Amino acid sequence: MHFPRRPLSKSLVLTVCAGSIVWGVATGCSQDSSPQANGPEADAGPQAPSTVASGTPAAPGKDPKAPSAELPDAAAAWDGPLLGALFMQTPVMSDMEWPIPEGSRIRDPAREKVVRIGYLRKGSKVPVIPEAHRKPNCTDGWYELVQGGFVCGRYATLDLNHPTLRLQAPHAPDMNAPLPYQYGYNLTHGMPLYKNIPSREERLEYEPWLSGRARARRAEESASSDLDAGAGWGTNPNDPFGVGVDTVDASTPWYLQKFDGGKPQITLDELRGEEGGPVVRRMVRGFFLALDKQEEHPENHSKWWKTTGGLYAPVERIVVQRLLTEFHGVWLQDPLPGVPTISGNPPTTGDAGAYGDGGAPLAAGLPTKLPVGFILWRGHKWTLTADKKRAVRGEPLPRFTAVGLTGKSITVNGFGFWETEEGWWMRNADGQIARQTTPPKDLAPEEKWIDVNLKAQTVVLYSGSTPVYATVGSTGKKSPIKEKNHETKPGSFRIREKHIAATMDGDVASDGPYSIEDVPWIMYFNGSIALHGAFWHSNFGVERSHGCVNLSPMDARAIFQWSDPPLPEGWHGVMSTPDRPGSRVVVREE
């Protein structure tokens, strides 16, 4: 994939794989607003490297202590110079200029058409023309990427042994796995996220439940028999230093109070740590972290998770999230090269009653055209009596089985049924039906677009009028109570930006704060509303979200890699432009 660019020295050609990335708005189904390098006013430079020795990278769906097989980046297809990103969002610009700030009265023709076309995550290395073009707006010089676009040398380096690249950068996202990173669930209200691995004294100060002055944590919050929080470093996670525990009076911080199973009514702003202190922020139980690797304190040997953002949380307070489902939709046409395909029907090993993909018999033949039914609960194959006045229940069907339908339907004793291509009948109440719809009138020939049906909770990919992929998702949950109504708004949109992963958080009046680091495979299309992967639930096919379109990790990855704008290899995010518009997203009620 090449972006249009002004040639500087010689014509270079490089074939790269495509993926996707984006920036979102920090409201509703939203992304965090962590500092990023946007232009001349951004951070002065990278932080000093940590003095703690590096640990082992975490890999999605694998033993957190086992090394991960990282996907080769753009460097694998290029034997020339590489540019390494020094910031979590190292901006890639359309020209050697910064855009005019929004709302500014500046009039500068050279800057009016400049846009940010994507970004690199810290540690990424991409092919570059090594000539630095120094200008007043970037005294370190602009570098032209072989894939297109320009990066200011203030935010990147040609020195691949730079300490930031060697010691601070997170491991590369795994583009071949259902999830690009491994994730962890925070068990403890008020758990601090530290800038560096803290000393014993700092822990006793900022984690008062560890000291003899603190009350004992509730048993259900400290541990759970069905959760594996990783190897602890003390015999009691509430008392790792062996100083004993007791109770405190009622005038205690919010995180030492009881909430009877609910969430504390506190805001994200109130969770921030003191400026200049060792704690960046505190967490509410249920927050998710994106995990980079484990590290160990050099003196007391306590074990810590380092997040992809470079912060630290104790291993004994974090439960490693397992992949809840391997569910994915079905390809109705051949996918594009590089877009993942997985066999099996139902395509899952993690759901009750499901067949595996390893040579197990298919529960039903794989569909090749619409309409397609998806069994959401323990459905059955139904047959009708000769007079079609009674339906007879047959063998069971595992959850998430995809069923090819003929389009013929019938109602028997008040229940709707669809005829399958195999001759038996699917009951409407057993699942959802993805049906063909009319494409937008102004669609270009063979243009990619995505149909989201709010009533059926289905998502269908189209090339022109031809459906190519069908699945089920979870859109915003409706409620007559305004504070709890998260309905996904219908309309016609375009994918504005795509991210391999980015943090989503927010303050919800009815539910309290939420925070999920590095939500995978994000495709923003309407403000802060996006299609994205959801690893924290597997209840696809019903309303569930805060407004976004939740997809299984495998579905989200497939749609992310299929949709436009494509993501150049090695980039972490990409934005659509008039020359590279995003795929159309049509959200409809029926």
Side-chain angles (χ1 to χ4, degrees):
M1 169 66 189
H2 289 272
F3 294 131
R5 60 183 176 88
R6 181 178 61 202
L8 290 179
S9 53
K10 57 183 179 180
S11 175
L12 296 175
V13 178
L14 175 68
T15 302
V16 296
C17 296
S20 304
I21 264 182
V22 187
W23 297 265
V25 181
T27 57
C29 181
S30 60
Q31 178 186 344
D32 82 348
S33 53
S34 57
Q36 56 186 340
N38 289 322
E41 298 78 24
D43 290 347
Q47 295 179 351
S50 168
T51 57
V52 180
S54 296
T56 302
K62 299 180 182 179
D63 184 338
K65 296 181 181 179
S68 65
E70 295 183 2
L71 181 73
D73 60 13
W78 172 254
D79 59 2
L82 299 173
L83 189 71
L86 298 177
F87 286 80
M88 288 300 284
Q89 289 198 19
T90 296
V92 181
M93 310 306 298
S94 61
D95 208 335
M96 293 184 290
E97 262 297 356
W98 301 111
I100 297 174
E102 187 175 351
S104 173
R105 296 182 178 180
I106 297 174
R107 293 293 178 264
D108 186 346
R111 298 174 62 185
E112 287 177 356
K113 294 184 179 180
V114 174
V115 293
R116 182 166 55 173
I117 59 176
Y119 68 94
L120 314 175
R121 177 165 276 197
K122 182 189 293 184
S124 179
K125 305 175 189 69
V126 294
V128 67
I129 301 171
E131 181 183 359
H133 297 264
R134 290 178 171 80
K135 298 180 64 176
N137 60 10
C138 177
T139 56
D140 293 297
W142 289 93
Y143 290 95
E144 183 182 18
L145 303 185
V146 173
Q147 299 152 309
F150 300 86
V151 173
C152 177
R154 181 182 181 186
Y155 308 113
T157 180
L158 292 172
D159 177 10
L160 300 187
N161 288 316
H162 193 288
T164 296
L165 302 183
R166 291 189 297 106
L167 302 177
Q168 293 185 13
H171 70 274
D174 191 341
M175 301 298 289
N176 289 329
L179 296 171
Y181 299 106
Q182 190 172 42
Y183 298 88
Y185 176 94
N186 171 51
L187 288 170
T188 307
H189 282 319
M191 186 64 231
L193 275 175
Y194 294 97
K195 290 179 181 177
N196 296 292
I197 294 180
S199 66
R200 176 183 185 274
E201 291 71 26
E202 286 175 324
R203 287 205 71 184
L204 290 173
E205 178 180 356
Y206 292 100
E207 300 174 59
W209 50 83
L210 299 178
S211 74
R213 297 184 301 276
R215 66 176 178 81
R217 302 291 290 179
R218 297 191 307 273
E220 69 272 17
E221 191 168 75
S222 65
S224 177
S225 60
D226 62 346
L227 296 177
D228 177 16
W233 52 276
T235 57
N236 182 352
N238 292 317
D239 187 22
F241 302 119
V243 296
V245 294
D246 51 29
T247 59
V248 295
D249 58 37
S251 60
T252 56
W254 66 268
Y255 44 84
L256 294 180
Q257 301 172 15
K258 287 187 177 182
F259 297 99
D260 297 324
K263 281 190 175 183
Q265 293 304 303
I266 192 168
T267 66
L268 293 172
D269 281 343
E270 293 172 310
L271 295 176
R272 292 178 181 174
E274 295 181 4
E275 187 173 354
V279 174
V280 176
R281 68 178 175 116
R282 291 186 181 272
M283 295 185 288
V284 172
R285 176 181 169 91
F287 279 18
F288 282 97
L289 300 175
L291 307 177
D292 179 34
K293 58 188 175 185
Q294 283 191 22
E295 295 186 4
E296 185 174 296
H297 193 286
E299 296 178 357
N300 62 35
H301 304 295
S302 57
K303 291 181 173 60
W304 294 80
W305 277 116
K306 184 179 182 181
T307 71
T308 56
L311 303 181
Y312 291 88
V315 163
E316 74 273 8
R317 297 289 175 177
I318 304 299
V319 174
V320 175
Q321 176 74 22
R322 67 182 178 88
L323 186 65
L324 296 179
T325 180
E326 294 180 2
F327 164 65
H328 58 80
V330 291
W331 287 102
L332 308 176
Q333 305 290 330
D334 290 336
L336 295 175
V339 176
T341 59
I342 304 171
S343 62
N345 189 22
T348 176
T349 57
D351 295 288
Y355 292 87
D357 289 347
L362 297 181
L366 285 170
T368 58
K369 60 183 179 64
L370 295 180
V372 173
F374 290 93
I375 302 297
L376 298 186
W377 301 278
R378 288 184 178 271
H380 292 79
K381 295 181 178 180
W382 294 81
T383 57
L384 303 182
T385 57
D387 58 6
K388 292 186 171 53
K389 292 185 177 180
R390 189 166 64 91
V392 180
R393 189 171 70 179
E395 64 181 275
L397 287 169
R399 185 184 183 206
F400 289 140
T401 299
V403 180
L405 306 175
T406 66
K408 181 179 179 181
S409 61
I410 191 172
T411 300
V412 179
N413 294 327
F415 289 94
F417 292 86
W418 285 76
E419 184 182 43
T420 71
E421 293 177 334
E422 297 181 345
W424 49 274
W425 295 78
M426 173 185 168
R427 189 172 66 172
N428 288 6
D430 289 347
Q432 299 283 23
I433 312 294
R435 313 181 201 185
Q436 183 102 15
T437 190
T438 304
K441 293 181 179 179
D442 59 344
L443 202 69
E446 307 304 317
E447 181 181 344
K448 296 177 186 177
W449 64 286
I450 302 169
D451 175 60
V452 179
N453 188 311
L454 297 176
K455 182 178 180 180
Q457 294 294 294
T458 56
V459 178
V460 180
L461 312 185
Y462 285 85
S463 175
S465 60
T466 303
V468 298
Y469 190 84
T471 190
V472 290
S474 294
T475 62
K477 192 170 184 178
K478 299 189 185 96
S479 172
I481 302 172
K482 183 178 179 180
E483 292 76 15
K484 294 185 177 183
N485 184 32
H486 304 298
E487 177 183 4
T488 304
K489 302 299 182 184
S492 180
F493 314 95
R494 283 192 180 274
I495 292 176
R496 183 184 72 251
E497 51 190 69
K498 295 165 65 175
H499 305 260
I500 291 175
T503 296
M504 289 184 173
D505 56 21
D507 295 312
V508 181
S510 58
D511 302 325
Y514 69 92
S515 178
I516 306 172
E517 288 187 351
D518 275 346
V519 172
W521 319 123
I522 300 174
M523 296 154 276
Y524 283 105
F525 62 87
N526 179 24
S528 62
I529 304 302
L531 297 128
H532 65 74
F535 59 81
W536 50 91
H537 77 87
S538 61
N539 199 22
F540 304 106
V542 297
E543 294 178 357
R544 167 86 186 209
S545 80
H546 283 109
C548 286
V549 181
N550 285 186
L551 299 162
S552 77
M554 290 186 176
D555 277 339
R557 180 187 60 168
I559 296 173
F560 182 89
Q561 296 181 354
W562 173 88
S563 62
D564 289 328
L567 180 75
E569 188 175 358
W571 294 28
H572 199 81
V574 67
M575 302 187 77
S576 65
T577 68
D579 295 330
R580 299 176 297 104
S583 297
R584 186 87 59 94
V585 179
V586 177
V587 181
R588 57 191 179 91
E589 296 283 1
E590 291 290 341

